[in-house]
Amino acid sequence: DVKVTQSSRYLVKRTGEKVFLECVQDMDHENMFWYRQDPGLGLRLIYFSYDVKMKEKGDIPEGYSVSREKKERFSLILESASTNQTSMYLCASSSSYGYTFGSGTRLTVV
Amino acid sequence: RKEVEQDPGPFNVPEGATVAFNCTYSNSASQSFFWYRQDCRKEPKLLMSVYSSGNEDGRFTAQLNRASQYISLLIRDSKLSDSATYLCVVNPYLIQGAQKLVFGQGTRLTINP
């Protein structure tokens, strides 16, 4: 089974901090994605990467950046965390059979 | 207009009932269609793909109507364990060969004993 691992399940950070969310997949997938999920808004795509060092903006990239230095690892960076970035963050990798998600990181910015 | 629209529910039905979810999508060029299931405080997981001819997996049946841009999921003989949020998911296009999936808000289903 494909495994997508997110490094933290819960995080609490202060406003203005730089935050790193890490995601690792073990199936050599080329495509990886970061979503955030909020009540009433569903899942929204922040960024995705289709190859090492390659990235594309999703629907809500503002306030975020990403890094993909190795194929298995895709990092989401909050440059200066704000309270409106409090959310559930989900990483996924994909094959032609669909996406596999990590278990999510619930980030609270105080 | 949202790219993928679902009735958010909640749906509360008794065990053993048949329940149907509907979903519409706005991009007529969409290529692939899926239903995902998300349990409370868990990540979404693929339930089934949806094919033009319709497809069935045990008690679950998915249908696609491209002309009406409409997808459905039918659950027969519902079980308590079917309680979850069901996400309608559409792939409107490929970017650099990557499927960019768009998710509906989800429909919350509770099966009551």
Side-chain angles (χ1 to χ4, degrees):
Chain A
D1 276 353
V2 178
K3 199 160 180 195
V4 178
T5 304
Q6 293 184 231
S7 53
S8 304
R9 194 67 198 269
Y10 298 96
L11 273 180
V12 180
K13 295 292 182 181
R14 293 193 181 280
T15 300
E17 273 194 79
K18 191 168 186 176
V19 181
F20 293 85
L21 303 183
E22 305 287 347
C23 175
V24 177
Q25 51 101 357
D26 65 0
M27 279 300 288
D28 204 35
H29 287 165
E30 289 179 350
N31 304 319
M32 295 186 74
F33 306 81
W34 275 105
Y35 284 82
R36 64 179 280 178
Q37 186 173 28
D38 301 286
L41 297 174
L43 278 89
R44 294 179 291 166
L45 181 64
I46 305 171
Y47 265 98
F48 71 99
S49 168
Y50 51 92
D51 203 348
V52 175
K53 297 191 190 290
M54 302 304 235
K55 60 187 180 187
E56 288 276 344
K57 291 180 180 179
D59 300 316
I60 51 162
E62 297 78 21
Y64 303 95
S65 62
V66 290
S67 171
R68 186 130 181 241
E69 296 296 318
K70 292 186 178 181
K71 195 172 188 178
E72 67 270 18
R73 186 180 296 270
F74 189 36
S75 303
L76 180 69
I77 303 153
L78 284 67
E79 299 290 343
S80 177
S82 63
T83 54
N84 63 12
Q85 292 179 309
T86 292
S87 186
M88 168 69 90
Y89 289 88
L90 289 157
C91 174
S93 73
S94 77
S95 69
S96 55
Y97 299 104
Y99 284 17
T100 299
F101 284 90
S103 54
T105 297
R106 188 165 291 281
L107 173 67
T108 302
V109 183
V110 298
Chain B
R1 184 185 170 191
K2 289 182 182 174
E3 284 193 76
V4 179
E5 295 212 54
Q6 292 181 253
D7 181 345
F11 283 44
N12 289 283
V13 301
E15 196 174 4
T18 296
V19 61
F21 302 136
N22 303 317
C23 164
T24 58
Y25 60 95
S26 60
N27 188 333
S28 59
S30 296
Q31 303 186 16
S32 335
F33 309 88
F34 309 90
W35 284 101
Y36 276 69
R37 171 196 167 124
Q38 186 172 22
D39 293 299
C40 190
R41 299 191 177 279
K42 300 274 190 178
E43 73 274 20
K45 292 186 178 177
L46 179 64
L47 178 66
M48 58 197 301
S49 301
V50 186
Y51 303 119
S52 298
S53 53
N55 48 301
E56 194 172 302
D57 182 2
R59 297 180 293 106
F60 297 83
T61 301
Q63 298 273 359
L64 168 64
N65 184 323
R66 282 191 185 269
S68 302
Q69 293 177 213
Y70 170 97
I71 306 160
S72 65
L73 177 68
L74 185 77
I75 306 174
R76 290 183 301 279
D77 187 25
S78 53
K79 312 288 185 195
L80 296 178
S81 57
D82 294 334
S83 297
T85 296
Y86 291 83
L87 302 168
C88 175
V89 185
V90 173
N91 166 219
Y93 46 84
L94 297 175
I95 299 178
Q96 302 286 358
Q99 286 193 4
K100 186 199 164 207
L101 298 187
V102 178
F103 290 77
Q105 275 190 58
T107 299
R108 203 160 115 213
L109 172 67
T110 302
I111 306 297
N112 301 308

